[in-house]
Amino acid sequence: MAKKEAFVKTEPVNRYCGELPRVGIRPVIDGRRRGVRESLEEQTMTLAKAAARIITENVKHPCGLPVECVIADSTIGGVKEAADCADKFRRENVGVSLTVTPCWCYGSETMDMDPLTPKAIWGFNGTERPGAVYLAAVLAAHSQKGLPAFGIYGHDVMDGKDSGIIPDDVKEKLITFATAALAVETMRGKSYLSMGGTAMGIAGSIVSPELLEKYFGMRSESIDSSEFIRRWEEGIYDKDEYEKAIKWVDENCNIGWDKNPPELQHDPERKRWVLETNVKMAIIARDLMIGNPKLAEMGFVEESCGHNAILAGFQGQRQWTDHFPNGDFMESFLSSSFDWNGIREPLPVATENDHLNGLSMLLGKLVTGCPSCFADVRTYWSPAAIERVSGWKPDGLAENGIIHLINSGAVALDAAGEYLNDKGEHCMKPWWEITPEEAANCLSAVDWCYGDLGYFRGGGYSSHLRSRGGMPVTMVRLNLVDGLGPVLQLAEGWTVEIPDEVHKILDARTDPTWPTTWFAPRITGTDAFTDVYSVMNNWGANHGAFTYGHIGDKLIALCSMLRIPVNMHNVPEEKIFRPSAWTSFGTKDREGADYRACKNFGPLYGRK
């Protein structure tokens, strides 16, 4: 059993180059002097401060640090003040632009013209002054100039004196926009680190630099797998940390069973070497991603820098795993919210170097602060098939069938669902909310089974767990289609608890040493969500990533900023939030309009 004393709470820290992006608030105003502008100054600034308060109170960076808002030094009544604001925002590292106003203003003179900054405009819905009229006018200007912006239009008319009060519908859109826009800016300039090459011909592990650069603003970095060998053989890792880590693993990690036939099993000495090597691989992979100043002190200055990687993937199979220990231990711990150094921000690592699924993991993590879990979308189990092989007639969340999410030995350990929310329900959490006791409970729910030597000739330790049922999750997959580009699909649903004896029967048909999550998507009765089978049948690849919460609305908003269409989702229509220009591409077929708008505007960082 893991001990809670083994899990210290670390302080939030920005692990990447550069400052964290800030949200810029642009209070725009009617520029007419001699009474008009003067009468609106206080009300306009009150609106800006109220918006900033909502964002800072409800949104955090994925690293756990608070989001900062920067308000323009003055209200913006014309182009000179707009330029002054833009200059301040450049100095203050503002990456997200929110314009607010309670009144009419001069649209093209006051608008934000930065083509790379995600933008939203909130025009206060009050009739004393036409803030909503300005909203419509300036959104038209944004559309005409090819600078898509989100429009925030409150449902109910309010009184002018209440400009400091933000209604719930406006609050929800402010939070969705800020969360998605900060995710866009957080990725920008970071790297995807490919550790190895293509795994077993899996298309997602054929890394596309063009996709990373044009759609995500990221670099494509790569190292050969032999770099791991060089570093552990030449001692290019923190020896003190390694000693701490292996002691912690021995004391807190449950070693599971070895499924291999006795005559094929590795001897105890080999198994010990494999475990020690797995720990070194985890330390080395982290150093490759984000660097380690301790290496510079040891004389390895170049190696100490890392690759500024916000995401990585490990090829593993087969050239590596036919001889060396697999990456399950490394991928699981780096993608989780804790390790021997304490409770800390997850570092997503994609199995089999599937960068498309890795990007899916990253998007989920950025909008929640929770780890994302890599999975094979392995099997659809119909109610009839479950009853035939187990004798149990599915009910509850499983009554329409379930999808078996099971990766080949690696998953973020938070997937066990051993945390509790304020209602006492099992959940996953942003890392900064996890207690040492919860982290200990989570690790105690995992056992580390020795790798199947048919798959992994070099051995390894797989993270074997079973997710608690009833947790709301969203399954996501980014696909790349020739002639179309990237498209995202998502399915909101729940993890499912099934009887132990049924789980054993179904799980044994695949590999009972791997991590399992039973998933039931929300069914709408139409299209790709006609039934659970349709979800599985329309899924675009063998992999998917799932993240805690029903976060489809945030992912849809985020994808519209990147110009990535969403081809499959079950998010209620009233929650979908995209730039106002999207309505010009059609209001009846919103999925088709999304495709047309994304094609028209092109990738955010593409060069037209």
Side-chain angles (χ1 to χ4, degrees):
M1 287 288 290
K3 307 175 184 67
K4 68 177 183 180
E5 294 78 14
F7 297 87
V8 298
K9 288 281 286 188
T10 62
E11 292 298 318
V13 62
N14 175 22
R15 300 179 297 192
Y16 300 100
C17 301
E19 296 181 355
L20 292 170
R22 296 179 174 88
V23 177
I25 311 291
R26 306 176 71 256
V28 297
I29 200 167
D30 192 323
R32 290 172 284 201
R33 301 279 182 172
R34 301 184 184 181
V36 176
R37 176 168 180 162
E38 291 83 353
S39 69
L40 293 164
E41 289 282 359
E42 182 179 353
Q43 184 184 9
T44 304
M45 273 298 183
T46 297
L47 208 64
K49 292 174 183 177
R53 184 180 67 253
I54 289 297
I55 292 169
T56 55
E57 289 178 352
N58 292 279
V59 184
K60 281 192 175 185
H61 291 288
C63 66
L65 288 169
V67 170
E68 297 180 20
C69 290
V70 176
I71 300 177
D73 290 334
S74 70
T75 54
I76 300 168
V79 67
K80 194 269 183 188
E81 288 154 333
D84 288 340
C85 175
D87 186 54
K88 178 178 183 177
F89 283 5
R90 280 190 291 270
R91 295 194 309 271
E92 297 284 343
N93 198 44
V94 166
V96 177
S97 171
L98 173 64
T99 297
V100 301
T101 188
C103 61
W104 169 253
C105 317
Y106 306 151
S108 61
E109 295 181 25
T110 58
M111 65 188 286
D112 179 358
M113 296 286 287
D114 186 334
L116 297 183
T117 305
K119 301 169 180 44
I121 299 98
W122 173 29
F124 182 76
N125 188 10
T127 54
E128 294 93 339
R129 297 282 184 172
V133 176
Y134 169 76
L135 171 65
V138 79
L139 287 174
H142 277 277
S143 298
Q144 187 169 326
K145 294 176 182 294
L147 301 170
F150 290 75
I152 301 175
Y153 177 45
H155 186 273
D156 298 318
V157 173
M158 298 181 66
D159 298 331
K161 63 181 176 58
D162 293 332
S163 57
I165 301 173
I166 299 184
D168 289 343
D169 63 321
V170 171
K171 176 181 176 180
E172 183 178 354
K173 288 184 175 180
L174 286 172
I175 293 170
T176 296
F177 167 74
T179 300
L182 283 166
V184 169
E185 286 301 304
T186 300
M187 289 184 284
R188 185 177 176 185
K190 308 302 190 304
S191 304
Y192 175 81
L193 177 61
S194 174
M195 298 185 292
T198 303
M200 301 185 297
I202 295 172
S205 66
I206 303 172
V207 176
S208 169
E210 183 179 31
L211 169 71
L212 291 162
E213 293 165 8
K214 289 188 176 182
Y215 283 91
F216 294 91
M218 292 170 59
R219 291 176 178 267
S220 176
E221 294 281 296
S222 64
I223 57 105
D224 188 83
S225 302
S226 63
E227 179 65 5
F228 282 89
I229 306 169
R230 183 180 81 91
R231 291 201 182 200
W232 80 54
E233 287 189 351
E234 297 184 18
I236 308 174
Y237 58 91
D238 184 342
K239 312 296 193 307
D240 293 334
E241 182 184 358
Y242 167 72
E243 293 300 331
K244 172 185 176 182
I246 194 66
K247 182 175 185 292
W248 184 92
V249 168
D250 286 338
E251 293 176 352
N252 294 282
C253 290
N254 305 317
I255 300 301
W257 66 302
D258 186 341
K259 63 174 285 189
N260 297 289
E263 66 275 14
L264 298 180
Q265 291 182 9
H266 288 162
D267 60 36
E269 291 74 22
R270 169 71 185 191
K271 288 182 176 179
R272 183 63 185 178
W273 178 84
V274 166
L275 182 62
E276 292 174 349
T277 301
N278 278 162
V279 173
K280 291 174 185 176
M281 287 170 64
I283 293 171
I284 289 168
R286 183 209 59 206
D287 292 351
L288 284 163
M289 290 180 71
I290 62 174
N292 187 347
K294 182 67 180 289
L295 299 183
E297 296 173 14
M298 296 166 59
F300 302 107
V301 178
E302 181 182 0
E303 291 86 347
S304 74
C305 297
H307 290 263
N308 199 36
I310 197 171
L311 171 67
F314 181 68
Q315 174 195 340
Q317 299 183 70
R318 279 188 48 209
Q319 288 79 6
W320 177 271
T321 55
D322 276 1
H323 184 67
F324 291 108
N326 64 32
D328 293 353
F329 183 96
M330 169 188 73
E331 295 166 21
S332 295
F333 266 113
L334 289 181
S335 297
S336 301
S337 300
F338 54 80
D339 62 14
W340 43 88
N341 290 316
I343 301 169
R344 45 80 180 137
E345 181 185 2
L347 273 174
V349 179
T351 300
E352 295 158 346
N353 199 28
D354 183 347
H355 77 308
L356 299 179
N357 216 51
L359 288 164
S360 307
M361 295 171 70
L362 179 61
L363 297 182
K365 179 210 160 182
L366 290 178
V367 300
T368 63
C370 297
S372 287
C373 305
F374 193 107
D376 277 6
V377 185
R378 183 60 68 100
T379 313
Y380 161 66
W381 278 98
S382 68
I386 294 172
E387 188 171 7
R388 177 179 62 82
V389 303
S390 73
W392 175 65
K393 183 177 176 60
D395 56 19
L397 289 171
E399 67 178 349
N400 296 312
I402 50 179
I403 295 174
H404 195 179
L405 303 180
I406 175 171
N407 192 24
S408 53
V411 74
L413 305 180
D414 307 63
E418 292 296 329
Y419 313 145
L420 296 176
N421 60 22
D422 55 8
K423 296 179 181 178
E425 299 165 335
H426 288 278
C427 67
M428 296 164 67
K429 292 182 178 181
W431 72 269
W432 57 84
E433 295 181 4
I434 300 169
T435 67
E437 184 176 9
E438 287 176 323
N441 290 341
C442 188
L443 186 56
S444 296
V446 181
D447 57 324
W448 298 88
C449 299
Y450 205 68
D452 183 328
L453 296 177
Y455 281 105
F456 309 117
R457 299 174 189 171
Y461 284 90
S462 298
S463 53
H464 175 236
L465 60 84
R466 175 180 164 196
S467 297
R468 291 275 192 170
M471 296 190 293
V473 295
T474 303
M475 186 168 71
V476 185
R477 171 69 189 188
L478 182 74
N479 295 303
L480 193 57
V481 181
D482 183 44
L484 173 62
V487 292
L488 191 92
Q489 54 187 166
L490 64 90
E492 295 183 339
W494 296 267
T495 60
V496 178
E497 199 89 42
I498 62 176
D500 290 346
E501 62 276 13
V502 178
H503 165 78
K504 290 176 183 176
I505 292 170
L506 304 190
D507 204 38
R509 293 173 70 105
T510 305
D511 192 316
T513 68
W514 292 349
T516 277
T517 300
W518 300 108
F519 174 67
R522 185 198 304 118
I523 299 307
T524 65
T526 60
D527 304 320
F529 292 90
T530 299
D531 49 29
V532 178
Y533 171 82
S534 299
V535 175
M536 178 78 181
N537 196 40
N538 282 282
W539 206 249
N542 57 309
H543 291 155
F546 65 93
T547 309
Y548 184 76
H550 289 161
I551 57 172
D553 57 331
K554 294 181 176 60
L555 294 173
I556 288 172
L558 170 54
C559 284
S560 68
M561 296 174 187
L562 300 173
R563 319 292 192 253
I564 296 174
V566 178
N567 72 302
M568 172 179 160
H569 72 82
N570 57 350
V571 177
E573 283 290 311
E574 64 271 14
K575 295 198 67 170
I576 295 175
F577 191 33
R578 292 186 174 113
S580 66
W582 265 236
T583 62
S584 296
F585 294 87
T587 56
K588 185 176 181 180
D589 173 15
R590 297 183 72 177
E591 183 176 295
D594 184 32
Y595 273 80
R596 292 186 288 273
C598 288
K599 180 179 180 180
N600 178 72
F601 292 112
L604 181 58
Y605 306 102
R607 293 174 291 277
K608 290 186 177 181

